[in-house]
Amino acid sequence: MNNGRDDHDPIDDILREIERVMNEMMGDDVHIDRGDSTGFGSDLHLDVFEENERLRVVADLPGVEKDAIDLKCDGDVLTVAAASDRRDYEERIRLPATVDEHSASATYNNGVLEVTFDRADDSADIDI
């Protein structure tokens, strides 16, 4: 039986509830961008892969020039900022493991950004 809700996205319900709770807590007009045809929300696809001693982040950034991408990492969070003529984008990605941010390497080819990190050692040697 078709109840007219075949195209219902449960994520929208969750985001609406988060907005409601944040508005109650902050007394402010909080809005969560669910993506539309003018923003990156509709175009961005991001994946994080854990591979042995490395972490790899892959993001689709169609229409963005390589020079318009800015990457920063503190070992736990990767920030990707990008802009095109029509859009601005900034995403903070909490990484599933601590990485050595100085080991980062990035490539950008045909609208696909790939950033690779070595995992940080879990513990450090302490000299006495």
Side-chain angles (χ1 to χ4, degrees):
M1 179 169 131
N2 185 351
N3 62 6
R5 295 180 60 89
D6 290 340
D7 61 345
H8 179 73
D9 185 358
I11 299 298
D12 279 343
D13 291 341
I14 294 168
L15 292 175
R16 279 190 198 93
E17 182 63 13
I18 291 171
E19 282 178 353
R20 185 189 67 74
V21 170
M22 289 177 70
N23 280 322
E24 283 180 8
M25 289 174 37
M26 302 175 89
D28 207 359
D29 184 37
V30 176
H31 174 71
I32 297 175
D33 185 9
R34 294 178 185 89
D36 60 309
S37 60
T38 62
F40 262 73
S42 61
D43 295 331
L44 177 67
H45 178 79
L46 182 119
D47 289 304
V48 179
F49 301 96
E50 295 186 68
E51 303 167 340
N52 296 325
E53 299 301 314
R54 299 178 66 79
L55 241 75
R56 189 165 50 101
V57 178
V58 179
D60 292 336
L61 299 171
V64 174
E65 295 294 323
K66 180 180 177 179
D67 294 341
I69 299 172
D70 184 37
L71 303 172
K72 291 184 174 56
C73 184
D74 67 2
D76 295 311
V77 175
L78 171 65
T79 302
V80 179
S84 71
D85 327 349
R86 302 178 337 155
R87 308 166 191 167
D88 290 334
Y89 169 74
E90 184 168 330
E91 181 74 25
R92 292 174 46 87
I93 302 113
R94 177 150 302 278
L95 301 170
T98 302
V99 298
D100 175 3
E101 64 270 20
H102 301 291
S103 71
S105 65
T107 60
Y108 184 67
N109 191 12
N110 293 326
V112 178
L113 172 69
E114 185 171 328
V115 185
T116 307
F117 299 95
D118 292 335
R119 288 178 187 259
D121 291 332
D122 288 337
S123 61
D125 290 331
I126 300 172
D127 292 330
I128 298 178

